[in-house]
Amino acid sequence: MRLRFLLALLCLALPALAQNPLPLPRNFQPLFAKGTRAESGQPGPNYWQNSADYDLTITFDPATRRVAGTATIQYQNNSPDALDKIWFKLYPNIYQKGAPRVKAFAPEDIGPGVSIIALSINGETFDVKKLPIQATNMPVPLRQPLAAHQTATVRVAYSYILNKGSHQRTGEVEPGAAFVAYFFPRIAVYDDLDGWNKQPYTGDQEFYNDFGNFKAAITVPKDFVVWATGDLTNATQVLAPKYAQRLAAAEQKDAVSFIITPEEARQRGITAANAQNTWRFEAKNVTDFVFATADHYAWQSTSMVVDPATKRRTRVDAVYSPKHKDYEEVIQFARKTVEAMSYTFPRWPYPYAHETVFDGLDQMEYPMMVNDNPTDTRDDAITLTDHEIFHTMFPFYMGINETKYGWMDEGWATIGEWVLSSIIEPKLDDDYGIARYAQFADTEQDAPIVTLSTQQSGVPFFLNSYPKPGLGYLYVRDMLGDELFTKALHTYIANWNGKHPLPPDFFNSMNAGAGRNLNWFWQRWFFEGGYPDLAIARVEKTAPGYDIRIEAHGRKPVPVDLTLTFADNTTQKLHRSISVWESGETAITVPIVSKQPIRRITLGSTLVPDSYPKDNVWEGK
């Protein structure tokens, strides 16, 4: 079936938006009929989503890497359905013997996985030896179904051994430092499209979690500092007085300061002198909770006003091993990223009270936390830092299903990287993913962007998660202009922050916000095959100057960028957005007014891939 985009009332105001419907998978159609989604791009009048609030008590022993804890979960079934079972996610079981995974782990990291010590749901106690654990999934049948609009109280005690090597977004970083993610049993998403999220976690596709509130009490040995999602509520009890005072001061000033200097990190004495300290955190309306801990890391901090209307501030931290000198500038890159996100792109006040960049072994994002490896170059440090922090908006603020629709979050982080990196360092010309897309476009290694991430791996997964959607967003921004694009993007964000948008919700919201039918581009760039290829067909001398004929040999619409070099060695740059291809033309003429002879014309730029670039240069006689 096909999707009619806007409600009749909106179509009267914006008639063009009702034309050229995009393909709609038939399993999406009932969502509009039931009113959980609306063709205006907004949540429908019957939209619902479930939620889970977690009270976590965790003990982590860095020496043995044992994670042990309890979780009390208040699960709210806001759906119209009675649930005869509750599906849990046990993400650490990717390290369980026999679990499916996309890459091999070291034998010493493979083990029994998560041990469920006790489980009860609404007072019903379960025999833990009979729990139907299926690697990273655990569906638990209920004797009494959870009725619509009712709450279940879940209590679970568990433990597992954190991996030492085979670092897959979590694990020991080095002796005395660990990044601990996905460390508690969580209730899977139950939504209006698929019901329960039964997709196993195998290490490639990322995550899909409901929004909830978290309280966490994390106990670690003396000298270990803890950083986490959420606000530290007992800093004066777990930090020595001067460090607690520095932290409080950092939250109110723009300057970068050390909470823990490299020298102090080596000397210890940072935490309270107890044998064990319990660090308490709280986070509201987030999709995940992670923590990191180290006994020898330096800690830099700064803060800034991210919302001039309310004067709300965000604290930004960089936490790292002093031996990694490349990390010394990360605090500046992180601060500039949060500032640019708040005021330039996407020009939305940074939504959380803090952001911590932790020196780990990965390149992975979490609410209010980033796990970033050291880098070889300054440019790499910039692009990695801003890419991962940009994920704050997509998927976390927006609740995107990364497991199925990687393009809806990684594509945004990619355009965020391109835009923000040039703000942080104007000399940086970031070409992340462009060459690979030009190389593989429209080959058997390529597929439409809207192909489910769960159906892809390797090159197709990379192309459709990162450069292709990133370029799509970038070209629409270029065509609409910054102001109108920001209006369209803000419409999408306002419609879906704190909720779970699906692909039609994105396209519909952007069209509505722009007040324009963008379906011609969404169709060609996101739904169809093809490759980008522009060519200089001919250059003709005219009375005022020259006519340059540009032909589109490929189906993918890309901007036209020309660099003209004149006989006196001066240069001129010309640009045309993708709007020149909207009418279906396959060639355009670019007139040049010049008395100077043109010596050379070059077609293309860094962020415009071309699968056949040999015809992109014209040499004058």
Side-chain angles (χ1 to χ4, degrees), residues 173-174 176-177 225 227 256-266 292-301 316-332 334 356-361 370-375:
V173 176
E174 60 188 31
V225 181
W227 300 267
V256 173
S257 61
F258 274 103
I259 309 300
I260 304 171
T261 68
E263 182 60 28
E264 290 168 337
R266 286 187 287 269
T293 186
D295 65 355
H296 61 285
Y297 271 27
W299 180 1
Q300 288 178 290
S301 189
V316 181
D317 300 328
V319 178
Y320 56 94
S321 172
K323 68 183 179 183
H324 293 147
K325 300 302 182 182
D326 62 291
Y327 244 86
E328 292 176 355
E329 267 194 289
V330 165
I331 187 65
Q332 298 289 353
T356 301
V357 183
F358 186 83
D359 177 6
L361 293 174
V370 165
N371 177 11
D372 278 355
N373 56 263
T375 57

Side-chain angles (χ1 to χ4, degrees), residues 468-480:
K468 286 172 64 179
L471 290 171
Y473 306 144
L474 186 71
Y475 296 161
V476 171
R477 181 177 187 248
D478 177 48
M479 176 176 63
L480 295 180

Side-chain angles (χ1 to χ4, degrees), residues 520 558-560 576-585 587-588:
W520 74 273
V558 295
V560 177
R576 299 290 186 271
S577 77
I578 55 171
S579 62
V580 299
W581 312 115
E582 183 172 0
S583 64
E585 295 292 331
I588 63 168

Side-chain angles (χ1 to χ4, degrees), residues 556-600:
K556 290 299 186 185
V558 295
V560 177
D561 286 301
L562 293 170
T563 301
L564 314 178
T565 303
F566 296 97
D568 62 357
N569 286 326
T570 60
T571 61
Q572 178 183 354
K573 292 185 180 294
L574 297 174
H575 175 76
R576 299 290 186 271
S577 77
I578 55 171
S579 62
V580 299
W581 312 115
E582 183 172 0
S583 64
E585 295 292 331
T586 58
I588 63 168
T589 297
V590 180
I592 305 296
V593 177
S594 175
K595 294 181 180 180
Q596 275 278 348
I598 296 179
R599 191 175 65 190
R600 181 183 177 91

Side-chain angles (χ1 to χ4, degrees), residues 7 43 64 86 129 131 168 178 202 204 239 246 253 296 308 339 375 464 561 584:
L7 299 174
T64 63
I86 293 180
K129 295 181 180 179
L131 290 174
Q168 184 70 21
T202 60
D204 198 352
L239 288 169
R246 289 178 186 175
K253 64 182 182 181
H296 61 285
E339 183 177 51
T375 57
N464 285 328
D561 286 301

Side-chain angles (χ1 to χ4, degrees), residues 1-5 21-32 39 502-505 508 523 527:
M1 297 189 65
R2 307 281 284 185
L3 174 61
R4 294 175 298 114
F5 260 104
L22 295 176
L24 183 72
R26 64 186 178 93
N27 58 314
F28 281 59
Q29 186 61 41
L31 309 184
F32 296 89
E39 293 170 338
L502 293 171
D505 304 320
N508 291 343
Q523 174 78 35
F527 289 83

Side-chain angles (χ1 to χ4, degrees), residues 27 38 69 147 160 173 190 227 287 380 445 472 513 528 617 619:
N27 58 314
Y160 73 96
V173 176
Y190 183 86
W227 300 267
T287 58
D380 287 343
Q445 292 276 31
E528 296 179 357
V617 176
E619 300 282 357

